[in-house]
């Protein structure tokens, strides 16, 4: 019983830290909560993926809570600072980041945690607002046409010059990615940038040399 009483007494004596008051902790966590929810909403709204990654969104919203409390502890004790540096040095993350834009949200979460842990709330809020503006501008403002992939099947003995000439007439920037020739005809895959895909579709439908074609819109910079 003596050991239990000593343990309980030690916990009660160290429950409240003179350096980190309850008011300070609550203020930090409140601001972190607001900014974490804000980042969660921005990621959900700005992300244009076909498959929304909810797990990643939850992760970037939770990270600031841990980072901010770690920063508070680092300010309280030099021993904790050295121990934390040593612990973080051996941590390795193996999860691959599929989209480079996800790195922005990860750094945003870490930044929010560090800045709020230092209680520089104005810096955290202004940075979040400015980052949001840039993300919206670069996500919704498009320069030039959208990227498309044209997959066309030409009939046997068809004039390929007529097909390529039709593409060049309506597409300023195009690149033939592959040409496959079989006994039944030719198979073309063309990468192109279009503002009005309907015009190209109408022109291709009039060509007798084309058996069938597909025009696929994509967001990636290239096709494997």
């Amino acid at each position: 019983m003596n050991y239990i009483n000593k343990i309980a007494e030690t916990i009660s004596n160290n429950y409240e830290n003179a350096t980190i008051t309850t008011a300070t902790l609550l203020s930090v966590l409140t601001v972190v909560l607001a900014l974490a929810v804000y980042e969660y909403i921005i990621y959900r709204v700005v992300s244009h993926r076909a498959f929304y990654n909810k797990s990643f969104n939850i992760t970037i919203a939770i990270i600031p809570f841990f980072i901010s409390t770690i920063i508070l502890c680092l300010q309280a004790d030099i021993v904790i600072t050295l121990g934390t540096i040593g612990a973080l040095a051996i941590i390795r993350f193996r999860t691959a980041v599929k989209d480079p834009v996800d790195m922005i949200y990860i750094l945003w979460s870490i930044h929010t945690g560090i800045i709020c842990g230092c209680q520089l709330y104005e810096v955290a809020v202004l940075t979040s607002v400015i980052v949001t503006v840039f993300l919206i501008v670069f996500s919704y403002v498009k320069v030039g046409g959208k990227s498309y992939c044209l997959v066309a099947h030409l009939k046997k003995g068809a004039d390929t010059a007529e097909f390529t000439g039709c593409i060049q007439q309506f597409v300023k920037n195009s690149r033939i990615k592959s040409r496959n020739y079989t006994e039944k005809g030719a198979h073309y895959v063309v990468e192109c940038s279009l503002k009005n895909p309907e015009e190209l579709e109408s022109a291709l439908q009039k060509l007798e040399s084309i058996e069938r074609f597909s025009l696929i819109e994509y967001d990636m910079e290239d096709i494997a």
Side-chain angles (χ1 to χ4, degrees):
M1 292 296 295
N2 292 332
Y3 289 106
I4 296 177
N5 292 332
K6 289 181 179 180
I7 293 173
E9 184 179 356
T10 302
I11 293 175
S12 62
N13 291 335
N14 292 278
Y15 184 78
E16 292 186 359
N17 191 297
T19 305
I20 306 174
T21 62
T22 303
T24 301
L25 180 60
L26 290 177
S27 65
V28 169
L29 293 180
T30 300
V31 177
V32 168
L33 174 62
L35 293 177
V37 172
Y38 176 77
E39 184 179 359
Y40 181 93
I41 296 173
I42 293 299
Y43 180 81
R44 185 66 184 93
V45 172
V46 176
S47 180
H48 300 288
R49 300 175 183 173
F51 300 98
Y52 165 66
N53 193 342
K54 184 177 180 179
S55 298
F56 179 80
N57 201 0
I58 294 175
T59 301
I60 61 176
I62 296 299
I63 286 177
F65 289 93
F66 295 107
I67 299 293
S68 60
T69 51
I70 288 174
I71 295 299
L72 281 176
C73 294
L74 295 183
Q75 297 175 5
D77 195 339
I78 185 63
V79 177
I80 297 177
T81 303
L82 297 176
T84 304
I85 293 174
L88 295 178
I90 63 175
I91 295 178
R92 296 292 184 271
F93 297 97
R94 300 297 182 184
T95 303
V97 179
K98 297 181 180 180
D99 192 341
V101 179
D102 288 345
M103 289 297 300
I104 296 177
Y105 290 97
I106 294 175
L107 293 175
W108 186 356
S109 297
I110 296 174
H111 172 271
T112 298
I114 293 175
I115 300 302
C116 289
C118 296
Q119 303 176 54
L120 301 175
Y121 305 131
E122 184 179 2
V123 177
V125 172
L126 290 178
T127 303
S128 298
V129 172
I130 293 174
V131 168
T132 302
V133 172
F134 273 90
L135 285 173
I136 293 176
V137 169
F138 288 119
S139 297
Y140 288 95
V141 176
K142 302 293 183 181
V143 179
K146 294 183 179 180
S147 298
Y148 288 87
C149 180
L150 173 63
V151 181
H153 297 267
L154 276 64
K155 298 178 181 178
K156 184 177 181 180
D159 186 7
T160 58
E162 182 184 17
F163 169 70
T164 55
C166 180
I167 294 176
Q168 293 174 357
Q169 181 180 357
F170 293 95
V171 181
K172 293 183 179 180
N173 299 319
S174 63
R175 179 172 56 175
I176 298 177
K177 302 291 293 184
S178 68
R179 302 180 181 87
N180 295 322
Y181 300 96
T182 62
E183 295 180 355
K184 297 182 180 180
H187 176 84
Y188 276 75
V189 177
V190 183
E191 184 185 85
C192 52
S193 178
L194 294 169
K195 291 185 177 180
N196 297 314
E198 294 80 9
E199 296 180 355
L200 178 61
E201 291 174 0
S202 301
L204 293 175
Q205 289 174 357
K206 297 177 182 178
L207 296 181
E208 297 181 357
S209 58
I210 296 181
E211 182 179 354
R212 64 181 183 275
F213 70 91
S214 300
L215 192 59
I216 306 168
E217 181 182 350
Y218 67 99
D219 295 327
M220 302 301 291
E221 293 181 355
D222 203 354
I223 297 178

